[in-house]
Amino acid sequence: MGDNYSIETKCIQSGWKPKKGEPRILPIYQSTTFKYDTSDQMGRLFDLEEEGYFYTRLQNPTNDAVAEKIAELEGGVAAMLTSSGQAANYYAIFNICEAGDHIVVSNSVYGGTFNLYGTTLKKQGIECTFVNPDDPYETLCEAFRPNTKAVFAETISNPSLVVLDIEKFARLAHEHGVPLIVDNTFATPINCRPFTWGADIVTHSTTKYMDGHAMTVGGCIVDSGNFDWMAHKDKFPGLTTPDESYHGIVYAEKFGKKAYITKATAQLMRDLGSIPSPMNAFLLNVGLETLHLRVPRHCENATRVAEFLNAHEKVAWVNYAGLEDNKYHTLAQKYMPNGTCGVISFGLKGGREVAVRFMDHLKLVAIVTHVADARTCVLNPASHTHRQMTDEQLKEAGIEPDLIRLSVGIENADDIIADLSQAMETV
Ligand SMILES: *Cc1c(COP(=O)(O)O)cnc(C)c1O
């Protein structure tokens, strides 16, 4: 679909393009396999000589249509869906790193990503240095080694809500000859297009706003096509030297701007196989059709709720980049002028015990381990996701023991505020 369409139109129309007599709505190709007339036809697919479908672990038409839509929303050249956001962030790194390599990662990333990169990748021989994304450029440079292969950060971090200086990080990555990979889950392409600020690859947990209804776990990797792998031939042999498992194909030579996603599909999906089911891709597509309507409403409601909390006498602190006195307000205005996300974190005077009592008295707002869907929900990481940690360990990880993560939904903002207000009376 042409780049001249606006993002609202792309949310609805990109991806599935029916031909004469085909279904208007994206069909669910609930089939593991695909039929051919001659063995030569299928052989050419296995040689990557021709594009086509043969087995859903590698590619499926429903999944591909949704991946294409997300690629267009981000302004990328190609994308691949995965079965979860975790799988997307794993593949995004593993596609260009192997044992003996090293990556530089923002220390404010989502807990699941922190464990994946800091612990699990380490067991596979890939080392990770966590950096404070707010540090000056020169300090960040000290994290690099000769074997560094990528820089990774989140546009707005979950749950600490740190806004990334994307241009600073793009320059940092490129001066060291490696790509910048950005997890754009919280901002979504509606509020931020990281490629326009120099990021090379974008990942998503589509489980959050993209699905938007808490129906399906999923992920996505999008490539801008801008990183020149051949210019850094020695660093990325997986893309720039022959792949013996595909008859000596050199991805960067044969597939040009689509090399990174082609390799991820042909090699990583083939071997590791974290594909979403076509049914889940279909549901994700339904969510994407209203992304441009939901995200602004999430931000509008969150701004009203943040202002209410900020003015409340029982509230100790509020973190929301939409507030003018927020540390990240200036960066947010630059990179996401239309709004950041619907997630707020705040603390109540009296700490963890008061937080728990407050949450137990909520009626409309539910306690769930989720964020970024249509229904307003809360979580106290110290009592839930991070409950094995002491207060001291929590502080080291940048999480206040009294932190309440509030994911503001798209109900009527007055009703959300009324519920918070009545629970506040009880503490
Ligand atoms: C939730 C989340 C993930 C993990 O995604 P899953 O779909 O739960 O596997 C990764 N990054 C961010 C920023 C997230 O919010």
Side-chain angles (χ1 to χ4, degrees):
M1 193 154 163
D3 266 347
N4 43 345
Y5 285 109
S6 60
I7 198 152
E8 294 83 356
T9 306
K10 288 179 180 174
C11 277
I12 296 162
Q13 298 270 4
S14 286
W16 172 244
K17 307 266 174 359
K19 296 184 208 68
K20 178 170 169 267
E22 287 186 342
R24 180 69 191 94
I25 300 306
L26 172 65
I28 305 166
Y29 282 86
Q30 196 66 47
S31 180
T32 58
T33 191
F34 302 84
K35 179 196 170 272
Y36 289 91
D37 291 333
T38 69
S39 94
D40 183 54
Q41 283 173 345
M42 190 173 286
R44 293 176 65 76
L45 300 180
F46 274 95
D47 285 348
L48 299 184
E49 284 302 325
E50 243 170 58
E51 278 192 44
Y53 298 98
F54 50 97
Y55 192 59
T56 285
R57 169 152 40 78
L58 283 102
Q59 278 185 288
N60 172 284
T62 308
N63 296 3
D64 279 3
V66 182
E68 189 185 323
K69 177 179 281 187
I70 298 175
E72 289 189 13
L73 293 178
E74 286 288 3
V77 294
M80 179 178 88
L81 295 190
T82 56
S83 55
S84 68
Q86 286 297 109
N89 283 338
Y90 175 52
Y91 285 12
I93 294 296
F94 199 56
N95 203 28
I96 49 173
C97 289
E98 58 189 44
D101 288 344
H102 170 258
I103 55 175
V104 172
V105 178
S106 158
N107 66 6
S108 62
V109 292
Y110 171 70
T113 311
F114 196 89
N115 280 332
L116 168 65
Y117 291 169
T119 307
T120 301
L121 276 186
K122 196 171 173 188
K123 290 180 190 162
Q124 300 188 336
I126 299 167
E127 295 222 342
C128 172
T129 300
F130 289 106
V131 294
N132 179 346
D134 298 334
D135 274 349
Y137 186 84
E138 288 68 30
T139 312
L140 292 168
C141 287
E142 290 164 15
F144 284 79
R145 304 178 190 170
N147 59 341
T148 303
K149 299 295 169 72
V151 176
F152 183 97
E154 293 171 5
T155 42
I156 311 173
S157 65
N158 173 10
S160 50
L161 305 175
V162 170
V163 176
L164 184 71
D165 188 342
I166 308 173
E167 282 189 318
K168 178 175 81 172
F169 263 65
R171 184 175 143 229
L172 183 72
H174 297 157
E175 286 205 355
H176 292 87
V178 302
L180 171 63
I181 307 176
V182 163
D183 181 333
N184 197 30
T185 298
F186 267 25
T188 82
I190 301 300
N191 281 345
C192 181
R193 237 71 57 78
F195 293 155
T196 62
W197 303 104
D200 301 286
I201 291 154
V202 158
T203 64
H204 281 281
S205 165
T206 61
T207 317
K208 314 295 165 53
Y209 290 114
M210 283 192 166
D211 171 295
H213 304 76
M215 293 187 292
T216 52
V217 173
C220 187
I221 307 175
V222 189
D223 184 13
S224 66
N226 291 338
F227 193 81
D228 187 351
W229 308 105
M230 278 312 214
H232 307 280
K233 210 169 180 299
D234 299 341
K235 270 193 164 64
F236 304 102
L239 283 156
T240 61
T241 61
D243 178 359
E244 293 314 329
S245 74
Y246 268 117
H247 318 298
I249 277 177
V250 177
Y251 291 100
E253 279 175 355
K254 193 167 168 68
F255 299 103
K257 283 184 174 299
K258 293 190 172 175
Y260 176 89
I261 292 294
T262 305
K263 176 178 178 290
T265 305
Q267 214 180 58
L268 298 189
M269 270 308 177
R270 179 195 62 186
D271 297 349
L272 302 170
S274 309
I275 52 125
S277 72
M279 179 71 207
N280 278 1
F282 172 85
L283 290 171
L284 169 59
N285 189 53
V286 175
L288 287 169
E289 289 187 1
T290 57
L291 186 68
H292 64 294
L293 297 174
R294 291 182 287 105
V295 166
R297 183 62 179 268
H298 278 287
C299 295
E300 195 184 307
N301 280 359
T303 302
R304 283 206 44 209
V305 170
E307 281 164 359
F308 161 78
L309 292 171
N310 217 18
H312 203 287
E313 53 172 15
K314 291 183 181 171
V315 173
W317 56 273
V318 181
N319 181 14
Y320 185 63
L323 293 175
E324 264 174 37
D325 61 358
N326 187 271
K327 185 179 170 190
Y328 296 103
H329 189 66
T330 313
L331 278 178
Q333 281 199 310
K334 172 176 175 180
Y335 292 112
M336 34 202 99
N338 298 326
T340 53
C341 65
V343 182
I344 299 170
S345 59
F346 70 100
L348 292 175
K349 291 175 186 163
R352 196 200 288 229
E353 294 73 29
V354 175
V356 169
R357 236 184 312 140
F358 164 77
M359 286 171 37
D360 285 348
H361 283 93
L362 291 166
K363 293 181 176 133
L364 178 72
V365 178
I367 302 172
V368 299
T369 310
H370 199 256
V371 280
D373 72 270
R375 290 157 204 83
T376 302
C377 61
V378 281
L379 190 85
N380 172 226
S383 319
H384 305 130
T385 46
H386 297 67
R387 70 178 289 131
Q388 67 283 9
M389 289 186 175
T390 63
D391 282 8
E392 236 162 55
Q393 287 174 320
L394 282 168
K395 279 191 179 143
E396 260 171 46
I399 297 166
E400 293 299 323
D402 66 341
L403 186 150
I404 298 174
R405 185 179 71 182
L406 174 64
S407 174
V408 180
I410 52 176
E411 303 95 338
N412 184 301
D414 291 332
D415 290 340
I416 300 167
I417 289 170
D419 191 34
L420 298 172
S421 186
Q422 66 78 25
M424 219 68 99
E425 295 301 312
T426 66
V427 300

